[in-house]
Amino acid sequence: MTLILSHSDVTAVLDRAEVLAAVERAHADLALGTALVPAPPAVTLGDAAFVPMVAAAEAAGAAAVKLLADLPANRERGLPVQRSVIVVTSAADGACEALIDGRLVTAVRTAAASAVATKHLSRQDSSTLGLIGAGGLAVEHTHAIARVRDLETVLVWSRTTATVDRFRAAVADLGLDVRALPTPEAVTRAADILCTLTPAREPVVHGAWFGAGLHVNAVGAPPRADHREVDGAAMRRARVVVDSVATTLTKSGDTLLALAEGAITETAVRTELGEVIAGRAPGRTGDTDITLFNSVGIGLQDLAAARLLIDKARANGIGTEVDLSA
């Protein structure tokens, strides 16, 4: 039987703390060789891009593919620019285990990956979180990073006051001091941990603004080689850690454009987060280091979250079972 999980089903069973722990384990498994993530190809139709994000993991006992559709024209239609669905297949017998709506999974696992990177790369005394962008991904990031660092203050930049107001209400339960600042530069210079969460094509954050000890999660740019949120100086000044080298070198505009400009060489983007978690590569070596997690997103993160969802949904009788072979 194949389990179908709608967005409302996912919302009912998803546990963010469990996803964070699963994503951390999955990245370690990638470094240890018990999980696999090939670089995703992309198919374009006009301005639309379709990216199949494939992964397999021994711990999950499964392989999965998330088909990510990135459609900028959806913004004018009042629809999400990115939409996705996750298909999970058993490694034991090849049966389709589940078909899962990817909207909430993507947001939560993305924030979880940033929190894991923050746990392993930021200064332990970091207490000020800076956010470039204040939408739903900013809300998820604030809750996730608050699990790994004792935050006191959140500094936010957004183009609209209404977005900041919605963000403030959505994180009120954390009891943090939320302050809106007028520019990305002001947020960057004052933050201990910085998350860039915009679908930018041109840099919104510049390396010249980085202070000693800063940790950056560069998250928001879509998996397109011509989009980036940080400039070449940012990549050059930081110790860069990536989610997957193969994915980064095919899909990260932050990396590819910095390489094209000569700001960095490929050796600067050869350290994966899983290697740092597993103790096989250095992350932060001192309080004055500047670190940057270049987050493109990998299918292994989706598979780790999907495994949790499938098991919990079946245990609680949530979702719809369908016999695809009938």
Side-chain angles (χ1 to χ4, degrees), residues 45-236:
L45 292 172
D47 288 336
F50 301 90
V51 183
M53 303 171 67
V54 181
E58 291 181 10
V65 57
K66 181 174 79 174
L67 182 59
L68 172 68
D70 185 71
L71 298 96
N74 270 5
R75 193 172 286 111
E76 298 174 3
R77 302 183 183 111
L79 296 172
V81 170
Q82 292 191 348
R83 309 177 88 168
S84 60
V85 64
I86 304 164
V87 178
V88 181
T89 300
S90 169
D93 61 10
C96 181
E97 284 198 62
L99 182 68
I100 305 170
D101 181 78
R103 181 179 10 160
L104 186 58
V105 174
T106 299
V108 172
R109 65 77 154 152
T110 300
S114 293
V116 171
T118 299
K119 173 182 174 181
H120 290 276
L121 297 173
S122 72
R123 300 190 328 269
Q124 290 193 3
D125 64 351
S126 297
S127 61
T128 300
L129 174 64
L131 301 173
I132 308 301
L137 204 52
V139 174
E140 292 291 351
H141 271 71
T142 303
H143 280 92
I145 291 172
R147 294 183 184 277
V148 302
R149 287 291 179 263
D150 292 327
L151 298 180
E152 297 174 359
T153 305
V154 182
L155 307 175
V156 188
W157 173 82
S158 176
R159 287 186 172 86
T160 65
T161 301
T163 304
V164 174
D165 290 342
R166 286 193 295 270
F167 168 80
R168 193 188 304 274
V171 300
D173 59 309
L174 296 175
L176 301 171
D177 179 15
V178 178
R179 306 176 194 170
L181 296 187
T183 63
E185 180 177 358
V187 172
T188 301
R189 289 189 181 279
D192 299 322
I193 302 160
L194 181 73
C195 299
T196 62
L197 305 167
T198 71
R201 188 160 191 162
E202 300 296 332
V204 289
V205 167
H206 297 266
W209 306 339
F210 290 178
L214 176 67
H215 171 66
V216 181
N217 297 306
V219 181
R224 292 174 179 256
D226 60 347
H227 284 62
R228 62 174 171 178
E229 294 183 287
V230 302
D231 67 357
M235 299 292 288
R236 184 179 64 250

